[in-house]
Amino acid sequence: MRVDDKVEVIEKEEIKYLHFPKQEVLGNKRDKHDRYLNLRRAMILGNLEHEKVKIVFADDQGSKKVETTVWGITEKSVILKQSMVIPLERVISIN
């Protein structure tokens, strides 16, 4: 999936109102592996340095971007500050 030309910037508190399809947004194993490594790096920065990262992800309406702290990752989810959750398969990029 390519990032839409227009990515909507949202606040992390809005994530709980979004609907996420189950389809994976990344097409190959390398991209998925890189996503996982970038999320681990973001989690370490979030837990040790309280650094925020920009996460681009897709809900059922298109691409969104949020700047937030990553507190944890599981097999299926990215856990953000204030217990907001983004399904792992919907994350496009982490900066």
Side-chain angles (χ1 to χ4, degrees):
M1 171 182 234
R2 72 175 189 78
V3 178
D4 296 334
D5 294 332
K6 189 172 184 179
V7 176
E8 181 183 354
V9 177
I10 65 167
E11 297 297 321
K12 71 178 169 304
E13 293 80 11
E14 297 175 59
I15 293 171
K16 63 184 166 190
Y17 302 112
L18 303 177
H19 179 262
F20 295 100
K22 298 289 183 197
Q23 294 86 9
E24 172 64 62
V25 294
L26 300 180
N28 63 55
K29 280 187 173 185
R30 179 67 183 181
D31 289 342
K32 292 175 192 177
H33 179 73
D34 289 347
R35 173 179 60 196
Y36 182 76
L37 292 177
N38 289 333
L39 282 168
R40 282 191 44 99
R41 188 176 310 115
M43 180 182 69
I44 291 166
L45 284 172
N47 287 316
L48 296 177
E49 304 290 332
H50 301 283
E51 291 281 326
K52 291 184 177 184
V53 294
K54 292 178 182 108
I55 301 174
V56 177
F57 62 95
D59 70 350
D60 61 346
Q61 301 297 309
S63 298
K64 309 274 191 284
K65 181 176 8 181
V66 65
E67 186 171 349
T68 188
T69 304
V70 175
W71 288 111
I73 49 175
T74 69
E75 265 186 42
K76 298 184 182 219
S77 302
V78 179
I79 304 162
L80 309 175
K81 199 171 185 182
Q82 297 181 346
S83 299
M84 296 293 145
V85 175
I86 300 173
L88 184 65
E89 71 268 6
R90 302 306 295 174
V91 174
I92 300 167
S93 67
I94 305 94
N95 298 313

